[in-house]
Amino acid sequence: MIRLPLSWVQFLIDIGLLRRPHFLVKDVSEPPDEFSEGFVFREVRGGYQKWLYLKCPRSGEHIQIQLAGARRWTISIDWLNRPTVAPSIWQTGSCQAHFFIRKDVIDWCRDVGAPRQGGSRYV
């Protein structure tokens, strides 16, 4: 699938043709020094997906998700660089955030009672 360069997506947002999604994907070759809100960083080395990094939408904590190995998550990216991550992401040791990322929507799981915000919903 062809993906638009992030600069093009940002241009479409700036001129008002698109609304800003909760998350866009940026490919990196090593873990980022800083996690920017609104981005999911996909670490790709040697053509292989290794890790996914993002800020928790509830607490702002850094989340690191394994994309390689026996127990892993999967990520699919649409043509606008919006991620869909499966299975759900659950911060069991900290703020208890439990959610899915589906395109530009955060789907909160009901078991944590996350506050409803624009662009997110309960599943």
Side-chain angles (χ1 to χ4, degrees):
M1 174 188 306
I2 296 174
R3 289 174 38 203
L4 288 180
L6 278 177
S7 60
W8 292 17
V9 174
Q10 187 60 52
F11 174 75
L12 294 172
I13 292 167
D14 290 345
I15 64 171
L17 290 179
L18 291 176
R19 70 174 176 80
R20 175 70 165 95
H22 277 101
F23 295 107
L24 291 172
V25 176
K26 275 189 181 179
D27 287 337
V28 295
S29 58
E30 56 187 49
D33 292 332
E34 290 190 30
F35 291 37
S36 302
E37 223 171 282
F39 287 97
V40 170
F41 297 92
R42 180 177 64 161
E43 184 179 339
V44 180
R45 282 189 269 142
Y48 295 99
Q49 300 180 102
K50 299 291 185 178
W51 296 96
L52 198 64
Y53 306 96
L54 66 139
K55 273 187 166 184
C56 176
R58 178 184 245 184
S59 67
E61 292 182 34
H62 296 174
I63 298 174
Q64 180 175 332
I65 298 171
Q66 185 174 346
L67 296 175
R71 291 195 62 198
R72 65 179 181 267
W73 280 254
T74 60
I75 181 171
S76 59
I77 305 165
D78 71 5
W79 65 282
L80 288 173
N81 290 292
R82 298 176 303 184
T84 296
V85 178
S88 65
I89 300 166
W90 194 351
Q91 288 288 82
T92 57
S94 60
C95 70
Q96 299 295 311
H98 189 191
F99 58 95
F100 289 89
I101 298 175
R102 295 184 176 125
K103 292 192 180 175
D104 67 341
V105 176
I106 299 168
D107 285 336
W108 292 101
C109 296
R110 291 191 183 277
D111 55 2
V112 293
R116 190 171 213 159
Q117 299 173 355
S120 57
R121 59 185 179 220
Y122 287 106
V123 292

